[in-house]
Amino acid sequence: MAMVLITGFDPFGGETVNPSWQVAEALHGERIAGASVRALRLPCVFGDAIAVLGHALKHEPPALVFALGQAGGRCDLSVERVAINVDDARIADNAGAQPVDRPVVAGGPAAYFSTLPIKAVVAALRAQGLPASVSQSAGTFVCNHLFYGLMHLLATSPALAATRGGFVHLPLLPEQAARQPGLPSLPLGTQVHALRIAVATALAHERDLVQAEGSIA
Ligand code: PCA
């Protein structure tokens, strides 16, 4: 049976929860469109996050990897297009590290594109009444770092040649937004439902839709 790996992060930046892990954990053990879902919790730590993911990928090559992260302030499910080869941390990670302008992988390409059908996923979510968009930047903190590390592993490991992967940033949960008035949020159940649709769509679409989802700036 095909396996789908969904990763989520530990809470960071003073939060006590992270929607990305809550969503991944909720889906662990489910079967979506004939594939079994496995969840993996990652430390919000430069270096370690990629090491833990790399270890898991060695065990069993998944058909798909959906890496998830929290993006406080974003109002919808942000399906990331591109991972860039730079760490530039505005805050310290959970181990106290704050790299500035360092490559994720020395000598690696400047960027990798997601190999998930990002536009098909956004279209499917919107068709089900869920807010979603293509994002042109996953930032320069641990999420982009992990996304780049994932895509580098998929691009360079022969055993993972058939694995497709990418990254989705999630809005805050309502209980987080209640402590930060004005920030948008989506309930956990809605986020979990959205991920089910995203995974099913990615399994069904080897190729992406050709449909404008760019931004002017
Ligand atoms: N969000 C952070 C790192 C971990 C997470 O969930 C980010 O967007 O980089």
Side-chain angles (χ1 to χ4, degrees):
M1 192 194 302
M3 193 263 280
V4 174
L5 182 68
I6 303 183
T7 71
F9 278 106
D10 284 340
F12 70 102
E15 294 283 351
T16 55
V17 292
N18 189 322
S20 65
W21 173 244
Q22 308 254 59
V23 169
E25 186 181 34
L27 291 168
H28 181 77
E30 273 196 24
R31 207 175 272 192
I32 300 176
S36 66
V37 174
R38 218 165 284 158
L40 177 69
R41 181 168 174 152
L42 299 174
C44 185
V45 174
F46 286 102
D48 290 4
I50 294 175
V52 173
L53 174 65
H55 186 75
L57 289 175
K58 264 196 201 137
H59 267 274
E60 190 185 344
L64 298 178
V65 182
F66 266 84
L68 308 178
Q70 165 190 314
R74 294 210 193 165
C75 59
D76 60 9
L77 279 101
S78 297
V79 185
E80 300 294 348
R81 185 195 295 263
V82 59
I84 58 176
N85 193 12
V86 67
D87 293 331
D88 189 356
R90 196 167 40 77
I91 60 171
D93 70 11
N94 286 0
Q98 199 170 349
V100 173
D101 291 352
R102 289 220 217 104
V104 180
V105 176
Y112 284 108
F113 288 118
S114 173
T115 48
L116 298 177
I118 56 172
K119 294 180 174 183
V121 167
V122 166
L125 290 170
R126 288 179 182 162
Q128 297 294 318
L130 294 160
S133 58
V134 170
S135 164
Q136 322 299 343
S137 171
T140 56
F141 192 49
V142 182
C143 285
N144 172 76
H145 176 85
L146 188 268
F147 182 17
Y148 187 95
L150 164 65
M151 300 317 298
H152 188 71
L153 283 167
L154 299 188
T156 58
S157 317
L160 296 170
T163 300
R164 292 179 290 142
F167 198 97
V168 180
H169 262 120
L170 305 173
L172 297 179
L173 298 167
E175 62 264 37
Q176 296 177 287
R179 291 190 297 271
Q180 301 168 79
L183 291 189
S185 65
L186 270 186
L188 178 60
T190 307
Q191 299 202 24
V192 171
H193 179 54
L195 252 295
R196 279 193 199 105
I197 294 166
V199 168
T201 303
L203 286 167
H205 289 78
E206 285 276 340
R207 279 163 184 263
D208 206 356
L209 305 178
V210 179
Q211 164 177 306
E213 291 291 348
S215 63
I216 302 291

